[in-house]
Amino acid sequence: MKACVRQTMAFPAFPASVLWTLGSLTILWASVQSNVVMEDDPFQPVTTDETVSVGGTVTLTCRVMESDNSSLQWSNTAQQTLYFGDKRALRDNRIQLHRSTPTELSITIADVQLSDDGDYTCSIFTKPIRTARATVTVLGLCPGRAADPDQQRGGAGGGTVTLICSSSGGKPAAKLRWSKDKKELTGSTETVQADPNDRTFTVRSELQLPVTRADNKAVIACTVDHPSLTGGDETTEEELSVLYSPIVHIEPETNLPREGAKFYLQCIGDGNPDPSSFLWEKKDGSLPSLVKADGSFLRFEQLNKSDNGVYLCQVDNGIGTGLADYALLVQDPTAMSTSSGVDHAVIGGVVAVIVFILLCLLIVLGRYLIRHKGTYLTHEAKGSDDAPDADTAIINAEGVTLERTTRKSTSSREGGREGWREG
């Protein structure tokens, strides 16, 4: 628990001074006066209550509407005169004059401590003497501190961790809140203890939190709410440590271990604390002579068929144990090569089928193009199909050509005549 150190400032009186005597007489006279403020009294002092945090600065101001040249005076909670007009009456360097006029007397108190809490009196030496009080409330606070939570065992059965947060030296009493990974937690119990000497409070909050292995390394925060924290709440964070037995699995170097090759198995355990012990065994037998256990590794110098079997790894981290197994099946390199050759043959057969289909498509497409082109040529030479000999075929073909040319020329002349007639 973090304790606040309260600094107490002594207030020695000004030795044998007239100001001290006058201040004492003022207090005695003010004690029999009424505290009722007359609103229509222009000589009645007016003050305001102030609130300040420990270490801050407070300004006390006393005003009157009118002045008959009587002096204003400030006195502290112990009825000691601080200032009489613009004259210092107490040797305390924290207290300074802020403003002094016939109608106002303002002073400042720096580095405020809890001992400065209380009622301050402003007096004016008229007939009768008039007084007014200003209450200074000092907010004292020590930051909250979350005690280191006991490391508790979690896991499948769960567990509970006790969280404790405390704040001392607060005035008024602080409020404490809990959160886990920024999510608010409820169910805490809170005790408040008052200190009668300095009128401060110590607050203690306790939370019983169920945890599992998933809560390991979760951030637990204790937040202090207090009026003096003008810059925002103050938070203390701790990382939760949940102890749990390891979860184990085995990773092989490769999924196709070959006979005659080197090979290893790795045993991986997830626990808190980290595993410290690894024990390798072979189910229904002892480890082969060429197999070496090396911590979390089980190393095979040269695999052979006799290494086939189920291997066990047991892990211990001091909290509990975990067990995992792995079935090793050594592959025959010859069989693997034959299988690889069969795979290549299948791939080659598929490629050959694809090529054959493409060739068939090309042949069909070629025949279609050739047939289409022959039909076109037959229509072009339609006039020579029925010719009895080659000369007649040529003459018929020339006749078809001449007929087409004549028709074209006739169409051109008719088009010209139509254009001439229109013109």
Side-chain angles (χ1 to χ4, degrees):
M1 180 182 297
K2 182 178 180 181
C4 281
V5 178
R6 181 169 64 88
Q7 299 180 354
T8 303
M9 181 64 67
F11 294 95
F14 194 85
S17 74
V18 178
L19 295 177
W20 170 246
T21 303
L22 183 57
S24 301
L25 292 175
T26 300
I27 300 305
L28 290 175
W29 178 258
S31 63
V32 298
Q33 298 300 311
S34 173
N35 289 329
V36 178
V37 176
M38 303 300 293
E39 295 182 358
D40 57 350
D41 185 354
F43 300 108
Q44 175 61 43
V46 178
T47 61
T48 57
D49 296 338
E50 302 292 341
T51 300
V52 62
S53 299
V54 170
T57 300
V58 64
T59 300
L60 300 178
T61 301
C62 180
R63 295 187 179 92
V64 294
M65 295 180 61
E66 297 181 10
S67 174
D68 62 353
N69 293 325
S70 298
S71 297
L72 291 168
Q73 170 188 289
W74 270 112
S75 302
N76 65 9
T77 58
Q79 305 304 331
Q80 296 172 314
T81 301
L82 303 179
Y83 267 89
F84 185 77
D86 60 356
K87 295 179 177 59
R88 183 196 297 270
L90 191 67
R91 293 176 179 175
D92 188 344
N93 292 330
R94 298 182 309 128
I95 305 173
Q96 299 293 331
L97 179 66
H98 181 66
R99 182 182 292 111
S100 178
T101 67
T103 59
E104 179 182 342
L105 177 62
S106 298
I107 62 174
T108 61
I109 305 176
D111 192 21
V112 173
Q113 301 300 314
L114 291 173
S115 58
D116 296 323
D117 185 275
D119 294 333
Y120 290 73
T121 304
C122 174
S123 306
I124 184 170
F125 291 90
T126 57
K127 293 182 180 180
I129 297 175
R130 295 167 172 83
T131 62
R133 292 180 180 176
T135 301
V136 175
T137 301
V138 180
L139 303 177
L141 177 69
C142 278
R145 180 179 184 274
D148 296 335
D150 296 331
Q151 292 184 335
Q152 298 292 331
R153 297 187 180 186
T160 302
V161 63
T162 301
L163 304 173
I164 298 175
C165 182
S166 63
S167 172
S168 60
K171 181 178 175 295
K175 298 293 184 182
L176 304 180
R177 293 183 287 109
W178 290 99
S179 64
K180 182 182 74 173
D181 291 335
K182 302 188 182 302
K183 295 181 180 179
E184 188 172 354
L185 299 174
T186 58
S188 61
T189 58
E190 194 171 277
T191 57
V192 180
Q193 183 177 358
D195 187 341
N197 295 326
D198 55 9
R199 295 179 292 178
T200 61
F201 300 88
T202 297
V203 183
R204 184 178 185 272
S205 178
E206 183 173 318
L207 178 65
Q208 299 291 328
L209 180 65
V211 294
T212 64
R213 67 178 75 241
D215 295 315
N216 188 44
K217 296 185 178 181
V219 177
I220 302 297
C222 175
T223 301
V224 181
D225 293 331
H226 196 270
S228 66
L229 298 175
T230 57
D233 299 335
E234 184 162 335
T235 301
T236 300
E237 294 182 345
E238 298 284 349
E239 190 176 86
L240 187 62
S241 179
V242 180
L243 306 182
Y244 58 91
S245 57
I247 301 174
V248 186
H249 69 279
I250 298 176
E251 289 286 344
E253 179 182 8
T254 177
N255 291 323
L256 293 174
R258 287 185 173 187
E259 186 177 10
K262 287 187 176 183
F263 179 72
Y264 68 78
L265 296 174
Q266 184 179 6
C267 186
I268 300 174
D270 175 25
N272 186 33
D274 292 334
S276 56
S277 172
F278 297 87
L279 178 62
W280 287 96
E281 295 178 347
K282 186 177 182 182
K283 190 175 182 179
D284 301 329
S286 59
L287 292 178
S289 58
L290 295 180
V291 177
K292 179 181 178 182
D294 182 16
S296 62
F297 289 90
L298 185 65
R299 303 185 184 278
F300 296 78
E301 296 299 327
Q302 187 175 9
L303 286 173
N304 57 65
K305 295 290 186 177
S306 62
D307 294 330
N308 288 339
V310 178
Y311 291 84
L312 306 176
C313 176
Q314 181 174 304
V315 175
D316 190 346
N317 68 343
I319 302 300
T321 60
L323 183 67
D325 60 75
Y326 179 82
L328 176 63
L329 180 61
V330 179
Q331 304 293 325
D332 187 351
T334 305
M336 294 178 65
S337 300
T338 304
S339 175
S340 176
V342 172
D343 293 340
H344 291 164
V346 171
I347 294 173
V350 172
V351 172
V353 170
I354 293 174
V355 172
F356 176 75
I357 293 173
L358 290 176
L359 288 176
C360 291
L361 290 175
L362 289 175
I363 292 172
V364 172
L365 180 61
R367 289 177 61 84
Y368 172 78
L369 292 177
I370 292 172
R371 182 178 300 173
H372 181 72
K373 183 176 180 181
T375 303
Y376 174 77
L377 293 175
T378 300
H379 285 292
E380 288 292 327
K382 186 176 180 180
S384 58
D385 286 341
D386 301 328
D389 51 35
D391 293 336
T392 305
I394 293 173
I395 293 172
N396 289 342
E398 289 179 354
V400 172
T401 304
L402 179 60
E403 182 180 358
R404 289 181 179 176
T405 304
T406 303
R407 289 178 181 176
K408 185 175 180 181
S409 300
T410 303
S411 298
S412 299
R413 285 197 302 271
E414 290 178 354
R417 290 174 182 176
E418 291 293 334
W420 178 80
R421 289 175 183 175
E422 290 178 2

